[in-house]
Amino acid sequence: MSLELLDTQVAMSSSLNSQYGRIVADETLRDVWGLANDAAAVALGSERPQRAVELLEQGRGIVFAHLFRCRTALDDLQAASPRLAAEFATLSTRLEDSVKQDHTSTSGIDAGRGICGGDATGRYDRQPTINDQSFMKLYNRHHNLTLQLNGAVREIRMLPGFATFLKPTPFDTLRRAADEGPVIIVNVSEIRSDAIILLNDREPEIVRLTEITPAEVGGMYLCLRNAVQEPDARQRHRGVDEVLGLLWKSVVQHVVERLEKMGVPRGSRIWWCPTSWLCSLPLHAAGIYRPKQRKLPDMFISSHTTTLSALIRARKRDSNFKGQPSVLAVGVSQPEGRDGADGILPCVGEELRRLEKYFPSAVVIEDKDASHARVTEHLPAHSWVHLSCHGHQDVRQPFQSRFRLQDKPLSIQQIMCINLPNAELAYLSACHTATGDFRAPDEGLHLAAAMQFAGFRGVVGTLWAMDDIDGPDVAETFYAFMFRDGAEAVSHKDAAKGVWKISKALREKNVPLDRWANFIHVGA
């Protein structure tokens, strides 16, 4: 019931910012936030692992889940009731457009001041006044659309075979996330902590994690955040090394031991679906980086997913492109405007030249030509995109986290509004592209997730700042592997191994841990 309350309260908010504000700051919801983790822990204690998986999926990634509901495939419904299919499609489109609309030009709405919309200091606790007519107009419109859509859904569920339409996803559907390899859900709770290993042909395997608590995960998160901001290279290395060791001892080694007992071959792909602050930690790189000590990258090839549903959707998408990909490469070494204070990225040009070596027909938009208008115009026409520029995580207004193009930023909110019918792979050579909001880590709100929402099946991203000097070598390692058999044989599904190749190559060059452990693969 509490998870349903959380879902309903978020759905009634009138924009992305206000929906997210409900999650991170609404007084009425603070007591239920994180409930999914506790509910799953109780279910595991009652030996109901399938129910635990369902509860975690229902209570995480709520904002993206609401938007995806507006994109529900309607083929079966069209056959059963063309009228209801048309009504649902129209209302869904109008509601999605309403939620994603940028209201920064509207007084009092989500520019920082709407209902739980956040103010200019990042606060989400100011309520609108009764005289705020622009807010009331927007809120009433969204409220009415929500009521109409709920009414249509109730009518649809009365049709034969549609009783579960848009209800929380059952386990038999969620287990399809493991169709191509094991998915490891890591749940952290004060009650108990566990790893749930999903395989498509057997019951979930439960691995008790007795050495990890929410407080300890929070401590690792703070340790990593402080370490990667250290100006001294030795201190950065020491801090990242400590976190990777703790992740191995408390979580990953226990999972690896179980995978080996289950007969999962070494070198297989695995997918991590973490919860809480583990979402921002480098599980894929966990290990003891000493001679003859075990390290995850030596055993398995890791990908990440924010939720099981996100992974299932990524695999189901069909690109209009057949054969070799169409590649768009964008590079901005020094954007205009005040964010240019970030400094010049002198290696961007060389990074793009390395890509062109493997794919001469790539469309390259660089520096002064890489305007917001031109990049967004070209994005829908290509199946692969390579972005090399400054990346910013906006901790106060997460939907304004952005890539710095030449003239103005490309934000998460804008990316989510772009229709990308051909999208397959996004390579994000920028800082903080897979770093979530520490206030609500289970929402998985970051640039990589936005690219996946927009349509990309797989995304290469970074958990913290990358070193510009590494950009060319990292890109060459990745694309040399991707195009090893020629452009006609390339597949976006090789991207996870391409990221693994990056870490392997940098490790062999004795590059410090903090300069390669930040690269991750998200998606299919």
Side-chain angles (χ1 to χ4, degrees), residues 274-296:
T275 66
S276 183
W277 285 318
L278 283 172
C279 297
S280 294
L281 294 177
L283 286 165
H284 63 284
I288 308 298
Y289 286 86
R290 307 288 184 274
K292 299 182 180 180
Q293 295 294 313
R294 305 232 297 171
K295 311 158 188 69
L296 181 61

Side-chain angles (χ1 to χ4, degrees), residues 186 244 247 251-252 272 274 278-279 281-286 296 302 304 463:
V186 186
L244 295 180
L247 286 171
V251 177
V252 177
W272 293 97
L278 283 172
C279 297
L281 294 177
L283 286 165
H284 63 284
L296 181 61
S302 293
H304 292 244
L463 287 173

Side-chain angles (χ1 to χ4, degrees), residues 320-337:
N320 293 334
F321 272 99
K322 304 301 177 185
Q324 70 182 50
S326 171
V327 179
L328 172 66
V330 179
V332 181
S333 60
Q334 187 178 26
E336 299 172 358

Side-chain angles (χ1 to χ4, degrees), residues 146-165:
T146 301
L147 292 178
Q148 292 176 59
L149 184 64
N150 288 342
V153 169
R154 284 193 295 271
E155 193 172 350
I156 290 169
R157 288 175 179 169
M158 296 174 67
L159 296 173
F162 286 86
T164 62
F165 184 76

